[in-house]
Amino acid sequence: FTPDFSNSLSKASSKLGHKWISDGGKDCGPGDMKGWSVQQVLLFQDALLEHANLWGAFSDETLKAIDKAYSFTTSTNSEIKFKWQTLCIKSEAEWILPHVIDFVTSAGRMKFVRPLYRSLGNSKMGRALAIKTFAENETMYHPIARKMVKSDLAKIDGGNTGMDIM
């Protein structure tokens, strides 16, 4: 027996990501991901995030087209939702803000909450909203998550959050 390490599943994810990057997803649609596992969808999102980190934000038009094709905004999978919201925040897509706030105030896992608050705090559109939302909801978070997010937001805001940091 010779194991097959060809990575054909991850290649499909990467190929789709590069199609959106190179031509705005021309001829892409919901059927592109038919039969894909969550891991493949996350690899696709990773390709988009990597591009955004290296080359800059996606246009609002492209993000809306991606969402129309794959419905990431309404996904019930926390991993998919988290990566999608991270990409949208990085691209300063204001229409994602209500969804991000809903997620960070309903999912208490530091794995999702801390990076999303950090992303919001570092964005032009979300800094004040991140501070306000956290201040209104901080008691719902685990004490360690609360301490870490509070510290992150204070660093982002130069200590001007008005929050008492431990």
Side-chain angles (χ1 to χ4, degrees):
F1 172 75
T2 305
D4 179 13
F5 295 110
S6 65
N7 261 348
S8 61
L9 297 178
S10 65
K11 285 180 185 173
S13 301
S14 188
K15 183 178 176 182
L16 183 59
H18 291 292
K19 181 141 180 60
W20 278 98
I21 291 164
S22 65
D23 69 9
K26 199 183 314 176
D27 302 321
C28 291
D32 299 333
M33 295 184 180
K34 187 174 182 177
W36 278 22
S37 67
V38 170
Q39 288 76 18
Q40 285 176 281
V41 175
L42 294 174
L43 286 171
F44 165 73
Q45 290 178 320
D46 283 341
L48 299 178
L49 274 166
E50 183 178 338
H51 175 78
N53 286 331
L54 292 173
W55 305 106
F58 283 91
S59 70
D60 217 40
E61 178 182 297
T62 300
L63 290 173
K64 286 180 178 180
I66 293 169
D67 199 35
K68 182 178 180 186
Y70 311 122
S71 304
F72 291 147
T73 298
T74 58
S75 175
T76 57
N77 181 293
S78 294
E79 298 284 346
I80 291 171
K81 187 184 302 194
F82 167 71
K83 285 199 182 196
W84 175 244
Q85 291 179 359
T86 300
L87 177 65
C88 290
I89 293 168
K90 183 158 208 52
S91 298
E92 299 283 340
E94 290 190 31
W95 52 268
I96 201 67
L97 291 175
H99 303 283
V100 174
I101 298 308
D102 183 55
F103 190 35
V104 299
T105 58
S106 63
R109 289 196 63 196
M110 188 161 51
K111 172 184 181 178
F112 303 123
V113 170
R114 187 176 183 204
L116 282 172
Y117 269 116
R118 241 188 329 232
S119 292
L120 268 180
N122 283 315
S123 72
K124 293 174 190 166
M125 66 178 183
R127 179 173 288 128
L129 182 60
I131 292 165
K132 176 183 177 284
T133 302
F134 180 75
E136 292 172 356
N137 296 281
E138 70 178 294
T139 58
M140 72 167 267
Y141 300 114
H142 184 279
I144 295 171
R146 181 173 38 231
K147 179 182 176 184
M148 300 304 290
V149 172
K150 190 181 283 192
S151 175
D152 291 341
L153 291 176
K155 288 175 191 170
I156 289 167
D157 201 40
N160 298 321
T161 61
M163 290 188 255
D164 182 26
I165 305 299
M166 302 173 126

